């Protein structure tokens, strides 16, 4: 091997070869104004604490982009009970959309940590904007379907609405509320974030682990043919079979966004450190296998971890520790998959 001084050309040549690979960027969105309970804005901090305690360096391995948020909006009174703080949420979603789009444009893979799930309506829009006419697929690992609209929501919490916003559904047929003009206008803006609406069609959305739905959401899933792989089906038929089936259903999609809501994990077995915990969910290993299986399709274009809320955790920092475990279980696969073909 040729000996060269450490500061001359071959070094920079090596570096140039390295940066020609697509890399990862962490996008952090600490906006929690769409949740019904406070505290998910501390989710990423909790994850960092878990990593530092574990001497785990995954979170400092890649550059970060921190998206501007306005959680102070929570101090203001809310004039929209059927979509709480929706006007402010729409501003947030536009910022989220821009962050993902810019990340994709510079050729980095967006690995997103977001506080409440309403953020996804903007994050997914950013990927769709970057894809333009190409077809987007969506994997939603969650205890809930997040298919409410201001017409059907029993709580008014917008983190139960991102999937309906992305699909462009009002579901007026099953309405239980009569939204105000202000609510309807803001909801239209929420569906149109990124100036594309809808972002996705129902045949390109697949749910994993949904087990806590209201009737309007259930009837929507049924009428639109949205596939859910429940926890018991995954255990009965095997993860590989189900993931392969999901990937096959998305065969005509060019890119896949995967959103992992930590409430898909079993609240009894793992942790209740999330806004709307539900029992009988996945364990950590199952989620790792699902995400890795989807990543191995070669189409994963963005990944999101969402809804960690350490203020609700009755087992110390257990939910963040579980999320960190999952992060470390999927990062090597993503690193391998995002390298361009030789
Ligand atoms: Mn969710």
């Amino acid at each position: 091997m040729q000996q060269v001084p450490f500061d001359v050309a071959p070094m920079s040549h090596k570096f140039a070869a390295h940066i020609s690979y697509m890399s990862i960027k962490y996008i952090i969105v600490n906006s929690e104004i769409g949740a019904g309970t406070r505290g998910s804005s501390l989710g990423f901090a909790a994850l960092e604490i878990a990593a530092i305690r574990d001497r785990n360096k995954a979170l400092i391995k890649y550059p970060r982009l921190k998206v501007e948020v306005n959680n102070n909006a929570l101090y203001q009174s809310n004039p929209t009970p059927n979509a709480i703080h929706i006007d402010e949420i729409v501003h947030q979603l536009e910022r989220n959309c821009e962050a993902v789009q810019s990340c994709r444009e510079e050729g980095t893979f967006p690995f997103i940590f977001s506080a409440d799930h309403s953020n996804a309506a903007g994050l997914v829009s950013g990927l769709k904007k970057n894809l333009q006419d190409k077809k987007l697929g969506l994997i939603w690992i969650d205890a809930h379907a997040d298919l409410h609209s201001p017409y059907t929501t029993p709580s008014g919490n917008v983190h139960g609405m991102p999937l309906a916003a992305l699909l462009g559904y009002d579901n007026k047929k099953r309405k239980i509320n009569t939204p105000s003009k202000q609510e309807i206008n803001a909801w239209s803006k929420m569906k149109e974030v990124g100036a594309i609406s809808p972002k996705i069609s129902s045949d390109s959305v697949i749910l994993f682990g949904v087990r806590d739905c209201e009737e309007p959401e259930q009837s929507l899933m049924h009428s639109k043919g949205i596939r859910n792989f429940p926890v018991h089906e995954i255990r009965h038929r095997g993860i590989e079979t189900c993931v392969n089936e999901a990937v096959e259903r998305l065969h005509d999609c060019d890119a896949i966004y995967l959103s992992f809501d930590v409430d898909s994990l079993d609240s009894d077995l793992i942790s209740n450190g999330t806004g709307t915990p539900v029992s009988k969910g996945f364990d950590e290993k199952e989620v790792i296998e699902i995400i890795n299986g989807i990543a191995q399709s070669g189409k994963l274009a963005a990944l999101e971890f969402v809804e960690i809320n350490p203020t609700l955790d009755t087992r110390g920092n257990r939910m963040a520790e579980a999320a960190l475990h999952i992060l470390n279980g999927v990062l090597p696969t993503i690193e391998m998959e995002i390298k361009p073909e030789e």
Side-chain angles (χ1 to χ4, degrees):
M1 209 171 105
Q2 196 192 349
Q3 291 258 320
V4 288
F6 65 90
D7 60 348
V8 297
M11 198 59 200
S12 60
H13 172 76
K14 235 172 125 186
F15 183 65
H18 175 72
I19 56 164
S20 73
Y21 285 106
M22 193 176 174
S23 189
I24 290 171
K25 187 174 254 181
Y26 290 135
I27 298 184
I28 296 141
V29 190
N30 288 332
S31 175
E32 64 157 82
I33 50 179
T37 328
R38 306 280 59 85
S40 63
S41 62
L42 303 171
F44 186 73
L47 201 60
E48 285 213 278
I49 288 163
I52 291 163
R53 283 189 59 170
D54 227 19
R55 297 180 190 279
N56 184 281
K57 298 213 163 46
L59 294 173
I60 50 169
K61 203 170 171 187
Y62 297 105
R64 294 178 184 182
L65 172 63
K66 208 170 164 188
V67 181
E68 186 196 333
V69 301
N70 180 21
N71 288 319
N72 281 345
L74 292 165
Y75 284 108
Q76 285 144 29
S77 61
N78 167 60
T80 53
N82 294 309
I84 299 167
H85 296 300
I86 190 168
D87 286 311
E88 192 56 42
I89 289 167
V90 169
H91 295 310
Q92 186 63 48
L93 299 184
E94 292 290 355
R95 290 193 288 268
N96 297 354
C97 174
E98 207 188 302
V100 172
Q101 196 192 1
S102 73
C103 189
R104 290 276 307 175
E105 267 166 18
E106 69 181 17
T108 50
F109 177 94
F111 195 139
I112 304 149
F113 301 95
S114 74
D116 85 68
H117 219 165
S118 71
N119 287 301
L123 298 163
V124 177
S125 301
L127 178 56
K128 177 60 190 165
K129 237 184 146 174
N130 177 258
L131 290 173
Q132 298 197 340
D133 292 339
K134 287 187 187 155
K135 197 166 179 192
L136 171 65
L138 183 58
I139 303 278
W140 202 265
I141 309 176
D142 202 313
H144 311 90
D146 297 342
L147 278 169
H148 276 300
S149 76
Y151 295 91
T152 65
T153 175
S155 68
N157 297 329
V158 179
H159 72 162
M161 307 183 190
L163 200 44
L166 291 164
L167 286 155
Y169 294 157
D170 297 337
N171 202 8
K172 284 182 201 162
K173 259 195 219 160
R174 292 285 191 279
K175 71 177 232 171
I176 61 165
N177 308 314
T178 307
S180 67
K181 258 196 185 136
Q182 186 182 355
E183 288 167 335
I184 292 168
N185 282 342
W187 175 242
S188 295
K189 284 186 194 158
M190 182 161 161
K191 289 185 289 184
E192 286 156 18
V193 167
I196 305 171
S197 183
K199 333 288 172 188
I200 192 155
S201 56
S202 57
D203 60 334
S204 308
V205 176
I206 294 170
L207 313 175
F208 278 84
V210 172
R211 57 193 183 280
D212 184 22
C213 278
E214 272 85 37
E215 195 282 325
E217 294 179 295
Q218 253 157 11
S219 77
L220 199 56
M221 282 165 68
H222 189 251
S223 67
K224 303 289 182 183
I226 298 173
R227 178 70 156 103
N228 173 38
F229 288 93
V231 178
H232 60 82
E233 182 182 345
I234 298 244
R235 287 185 187 155
H236 181 66
R237 297 180 60 217
I239 294 179
E240 206 185 326
T241 306
C242 294
V243 167
N244 287 345
E245 224 173 88
V247 170
E248 179 49 36
R249 283 179 81 98
L250 301 181
H251 72 275
D252 61 342
C253 293
D254 301 288
I256 296 173
Y257 183 105
L258 192 156
S259 187
F260 162 51
D261 186 326
V262 297
D263 72 21
S264 59
L265 294 168
D266 191 303
S267 63
D268 294 330
L269 185 75
I270 313 283
S271 164
N272 56 359
T274 185
T276 43
V278 186
S279 62
K280 298 189 168 61
F282 293 121
D283 65 27
E284 291 150 81
K285 194 169 160 275
E286 287 167 331
V287 172
I288 291 170
E289 279 183 45
I290 294 168
I291 298 176
N292 281 339
I294 300 296
Q296 279 156 1
S297 72
K299 290 182 179 176
L300 189 64
L303 173 61
E304 176 194 14
F305 281 28
V306 60
E307 293 279 0
I308 300 166
N309 187 333
T311 68
L312 302 173
D313 207 318
T314 50
R315 292 179 190 159
N317 199 24
R318 183 70 185 89
M319 185 62 95
E321 287 160 9
L324 182 71
H325 176 201
I326 294 167
L327 165 73
N328 281 293
V330 304
L331 200 55
T333 312
I334 291 161
E335 285 167 337
M336 201 129 81
E337 289 296 328
I338 63 174
K339 283 184 182 173
E341 281 163 32
E342 300 295 327

